[in-house]
Amino acid sequence: MIDESGGWKRGEILTKEQVGDVWYFNAHPEYVPPPFISGGGYPLVSESAKAVLEQFDLGETVFHPLTVMDSDEARLSTPEPYCLLNVGNKRTMGNYEALGPEGDIQAPLNCRGGGIAYLPVSGKEDQLVVTPEAVSGPDIWLDPKVPSLLFLSDRLVAGLKAAGMEKGWALVRCAVGTL
């Protein structure tokens, strides 16, 4: 898995060597993971979800194909291949005050989602206001000040929902407006 202590920060584009080929995700054999999962705290998307995402403006986003195995390496953990979703688009979102004094919502990655917005579910999402300037550009981005938040445009979320690929994202809508 990715070694963040090696200097990598969210929003930077990784090489195939940094990501690797095999990641481990333990799940019961009967469990069918959603199209979006957290792989050790990093966003992973199924090949089906990737096909939907690629229909939108992804800007500097890169997909790194992975083999997802159980920790015993006895079987694949997912019924289809998954990819690391490496988002490289960066824009300032707006009001950091809603995030608290440290600017940290502290929600796990697998609880993130987005409308015109982003993906943590901690009770403060509805207080965020995304500036209109942040909405222009690629349909998926992160804010360099709060790189743990992943934002998706309304257009992209509508596409995910239409394709039945919204599961796992825990989509939360943020207002767009001036502060």
Side-chain angles (χ1 to χ4, degrees):
M1 297 185 101
I2 296 172
D3 179 8
E4 264 193 270
S5 65
W8 178 72
K9 294 186 180 9
R10 292 184 198 276
E12 292 181 5
I13 300 301
L14 303 172
T15 65
K16 181 175 176 40
E17 293 72 31
Q18 287 173 296
V19 174
D21 295 326
V22 178
W23 278 31
Y24 300 96
F25 181 80
N26 286 331
H28 295 288
E30 66 278 3
Y31 173 71
V32 177
F36 176 88
I37 60 175
S38 172
Y42 298 98
L44 305 181
V45 294
S46 67
E47 281 289 326
S48 302
K50 176 183 177 250
V52 173
L53 291 168
E54 289 177 325
Q55 297 172 31
F56 295 87
D57 179 2
L58 302 179
E60 298 296 318
T61 299
V62 175
F63 296 95
H64 294 282
L66 300 170
T67 300
V68 184
M69 302 287 295
D70 71 351
S71 59
D72 295 331
E73 295 191 25
R75 63 177 173 78
L76 294 175
S77 294
T78 57
E80 66 178 306
Y82 273 67
C83 297
L84 172 73
L85 178 64
N86 189 183
V87 178
N89 308 310
K90 300 173 202 160
R91 297 197 293 275
T92 301
M93 65 137 173
N95 69 327
Y96 300 103
E97 294 80 18
L99 300 175
E102 300 301 318
D104 187 6
I105 281 190
Q106 297 190 7
L109 181 64
N110 63 347
C111 291
R112 297 193 183 137
I116 286 194
Y118 71 104
L119 314 122
V121 178
S122 75
K124 294 184 180 180
E125 304 72 38
D126 60 344
Q127 298 173 34
L128 290 177
V129 177
V130 176
T131 62
E133 299 80 29
V135 180
S136 62
D139 290 307
I140 189 167
W141 73 95
L142 55 81
D143 184 317
K145 285 189 177 180
V146 194
S148 61
L149 303 182
L150 186 61
F151 294 82
L152 284 72
S153 71
D154 257 351
R155 200 171 86 86
L156 176 55
V157 169
L160 288 168
K161 287 181 177 181
M165 294 289 149
E166 76 277 12
K167 290 184 180 128
W169 292 88
L171 299 170
V172 175
R173 188 174 192 79
C174 288
V176 175
T178 55
L179 305 173

